[in-house]
Short mmCIF file of all heavy atoms in Angstrom, two decimals:
data_model
loop_
_atom_site.label_atom_id
_atom_site.label_comp_id
_atom_site.label_asym_id
_atom_site.label_seq_id
_atom_site.Cartn_x
_atom_site.Cartn_y
_atom_site.Cartn_z
N LYS A 465 11.86 9.00 79.60
CA LYS A 465 11.34 9.96 78.63
C LYS A 465 10.44 9.20 77.67
O LYS A 465 10.43 7.96 77.65
CB LYS A 465 12.46 10.66 77.87
CG LYS A 465 13.32 9.75 77.01
CD LYS A 465 14.40 10.55 76.29
CE LYS A 465 15.26 9.64 75.40
NZ LYS A 465 16.30 10.40 74.67
N GLY A 466 9.66 9.93 76.88
CA GLY A 466 8.73 9.23 76.00
C GLY A 466 8.17 10.09 74.90
O GLY A 466 8.45 11.29 74.79
N GLN A 467 7.37 9.43 74.04
CA GLN A 467 6.64 10.09 72.97
C GLN A 467 5.18 9.64 73.03
O GLN A 467 4.88 8.53 73.49
CB GLN A 467 7.22 9.73 71.61
CG GLN A 467 8.62 10.27 71.35
CD GLN A 467 9.13 9.84 69.98
OE1 GLN A 467 9.22 8.65 69.69
NE2 GLN A 467 9.44 10.80 69.13
N VAL A 468 4.30 10.50 72.52
CA VAL A 468 2.88 10.18 72.52
C VAL A 468 2.27 10.59 71.19
O VAL A 468 2.69 11.57 70.56
CB VAL A 468 2.15 10.90 73.69
CG1 VAL A 468 2.27 12.41 73.58
CG2 VAL A 468 0.68 10.47 73.75
N LEU A 469 1.28 9.82 70.77
CA LEU A 469 0.44 10.19 69.63
C LEU A 469 -1.01 10.17 70.09
O LEU A 469 -1.50 9.14 70.58
CB LEU A 469 0.62 9.23 68.46
CG LEU A 469 -0.16 9.61 67.19
CD1 LEU A 469 0.51 10.79 66.50
CD2 LEU A 469 -0.26 8.43 66.22
N THR A 470 -1.67 11.30 69.97
CA THR A 470 -3.09 11.41 70.28
C THR A 470 -3.64 12.62 69.54
O THR A 470 -2.92 13.30 68.81
CB THR A 470 -3.33 11.50 71.80
OG1 THR A 470 -4.74 11.42 72.06
CG2 THR A 470 -2.77 12.78 72.39
N SER A 471 -4.93 12.87 69.69
CA SER A 471 -5.55 14.03 69.05
C SER A 471 -6.88 14.29 69.71
O SER A 471 -7.35 13.51 70.55
CB SER A 471 -5.72 13.76 67.54
OG SER A 471 -6.00 14.96 66.85
N ALA A 472 -7.52 15.40 69.32
CA ALA A 472 -8.77 15.79 69.95
C ALA A 472 -9.90 14.80 69.65
O ALA A 472 -10.73 14.52 70.51
CB ALA A 472 -9.17 17.20 69.48
N ASN A 473 -9.91 14.26 68.42
CA ASN A 473 -10.99 13.38 67.99
C ASN A 473 -10.43 12.07 67.46
O ASN A 473 -9.38 12.05 66.81
CB ASN A 473 -11.82 14.05 66.89
CG ASN A 473 -12.36 15.40 67.33
OD1 ASN A 473 -13.13 15.48 68.28
ND2 ASN A 473 -11.93 16.46 66.65
N ILE A 474 -11.15 10.98 67.69
CA ILE A 474 -10.71 9.67 67.22
C ILE A 474 -10.72 9.61 65.69
O ILE A 474 -10.02 8.79 65.08
CB ILE A 474 -11.60 8.56 67.82
CG1 ILE A 474 -10.92 7.19 67.70
CG2 ILE A 474 -12.97 8.54 67.19
CD1 ILE A 474 -9.74 7.01 68.59
N THR A 475 -11.50 10.49 65.04
CA THR A 475 -11.60 10.52 63.58
C THR A 475 -10.59 11.45 62.93
O THR A 475 -10.57 11.59 61.70
CB THR A 475 -13.01 10.95 63.15
OG1 THR A 475 -13.31 12.21 63.78
CG2 THR A 475 -14.06 9.93 63.56
N ASP A 476 -9.73 12.10 63.70
CA ASP A 476 -8.79 13.06 63.14
C ASP A 476 -7.80 12.38 62.19
O ASP A 476 -7.36 11.25 62.43
CB ASP A 476 -8.02 13.77 64.25
CG ASP A 476 -8.85 14.86 64.92
OD1 ASP A 476 -9.92 15.20 64.39
OD2 ASP A 476 -8.43 15.35 65.99
N ILE A 477 -7.46 13.09 61.11
CA ILE A 477 -6.58 12.56 60.07
C ILE A 477 -5.56 13.62 59.67
O ILE A 477 -5.73 14.81 59.95
CB ILE A 477 -7.38 12.13 58.81
CG1 ILE A 477 -8.13 13.34 58.22
CG2 ILE A 477 -8.34 11.00 59.14
CD1 ILE A 477 -8.84 13.04 56.90
N ASN A 478 -4.51 13.19 59.00
CA ASN A 478 -3.60 14.11 58.33
C ASN A 478 -4.02 14.22 56.86
O ASN A 478 -4.33 13.21 56.22
CB ASN A 478 -2.16 13.61 58.42
CG ASN A 478 -1.58 13.75 59.81
OD1 ASN A 478 -2.06 14.57 60.60
ND2 ASN A 478 -0.56 12.97 60.13
N THR A 479 -4.04 15.45 56.35
CA THR A 479 -4.43 15.68 54.97
C THR A 479 -3.32 16.42 54.24
O THR A 479 -2.37 16.92 54.85
CB THR A 479 -5.72 16.52 54.90
OG1 THR A 479 -5.43 17.84 55.42
CG2 THR A 479 -6.84 15.89 55.72
N PHE A 480 -3.45 16.53 52.91
CA PHE A 480 -2.45 17.28 52.15
C PHE A 480 -2.49 18.75 52.52
O PHE A 480 -1.47 19.44 52.47
CB PHE A 480 -2.69 17.09 50.65
CG PHE A 480 -2.51 15.65 50.21
CD1 PHE A 480 -3.60 14.89 49.85
CD2 PHE A 480 -1.25 15.07 50.19
CE1 PHE A 480 -3.44 13.57 49.45
CE2 PHE A 480 -1.08 13.75 49.81
CZ PHE A 480 -2.17 13.00 49.44
N ALA A 481 -3.66 19.24 52.95
CA ALA A 481 -3.77 20.64 53.39
C ALA A 481 -3.25 20.82 54.81
O ALA A 481 -2.76 21.90 55.16
CB ALA A 481 -5.23 21.10 53.30
N ASN A 482 -3.36 19.79 55.63
CA ASN A 482 -2.91 19.86 57.03
C ASN A 482 -2.18 18.55 57.36
O ASN A 482 -2.71 17.69 58.06
CB ASN A 482 -4.12 20.08 57.95
CG ASN A 482 -3.70 20.34 59.40
OD1 ASN A 482 -2.51 20.42 59.71
ND2 ASN A 482 -4.68 20.45 60.28
N PRO A 483 -0.94 18.41 56.87
CA PRO A 483 -0.25 17.12 56.96
C PRO A 483 0.27 16.77 58.35
O PRO A 483 0.64 15.61 58.57
CB PRO A 483 0.90 17.27 55.97
CG PRO A 483 1.16 18.74 55.93
CD PRO A 483 -0.17 19.40 56.09
#
Side-chain angles (χ1 to χ4, degrees):
K465 63 180 181 179
Q467 292 179 302
V468 61
L469 184 74
T470 188
S471 195
N473 304 298
I474 197 71
T475 54
D476 283 348
I477 61 174
N478 288 337
T479 66
F480 296 109
N482 187 4

